[in-house]
Structure formats: C-alpha cells, structure tokens
Amino acid sequence: MKDTSCTNANHAIECTVKECKHHCSGENYCSLNKIRVGTHETNPTKPDCTDCNSFQVK
Ligand code: SF4
C-alpha cells in the first residue's frame, strides 16, 4: 500500500531520516511545506552540527 504522506513529497527538501513521521517512506523527501534547521553547537563547523528541528518521531 502506498504511504499517503508521499502525495505531499516536497522535492525541495531531500531527507533520509526514515524514523521521522514527516518522511515520505519510499522516497527520500520531507512531506512538510517548510522545515526549521538549527544547531546544537556554539560554533557549528560541519553538517553533523546541524539538526532538523521539525523532526518528530514516528
Ligand atoms: S521534518 Fe526534518 S527530519 Fe523529518 S522528514 Fe522533514 S526534513 Fe526530514
């Protein structure tokens, strides 16, 4: 059965976090219209320092 969230795939937001309830399973895209990205570091220096703050666990 097709995941209904994939009808809303936002091709401007690629994402591989399948554990997020906004992720389009089967497609590596977010289903939200927009997301908020933040950091947990004082001085971010690499991708690992950033977070999707719109993440919600399934
Ligand atoms: S909310 Fe963030 S983590 Fe979740 S699917 Fe969208 S981009 Fe990925």
Side-chain angles (χ1 to χ4, degrees):
M1 199 197 300
K2 190 169 165 49
D3 189 326
T4 52
S5 67
C6 285
T7 60
N8 300 326
N10 183 342
H11 292 114
I13 307 176
E14 233 182 313
C15 181
T16 59
V17 186
K18 293 182 168 57
E19 294 78 10
C20 179
K21 78 173 186 185
H22 302 302
H23 185 265
C24 281
S25 43
E27 291 188 68
N28 282 331
Y29 293 106
C30 181
S31 62
L32 296 178
N33 291 332
K34 67 173 186 179
I35 61 165
R36 176 178 286 249
V37 176
T39 183
H40 51 272
E41 303 282 348
T42 310
N43 294 300
T45 55
K46 53 190 179 171
D48 292 6
C49 300
T50 64
D51 308 293
C52 177
N53 288 330
S54 301
F55 171 89
Q56 287 190 289
V57 73
K58 270 183 183 163

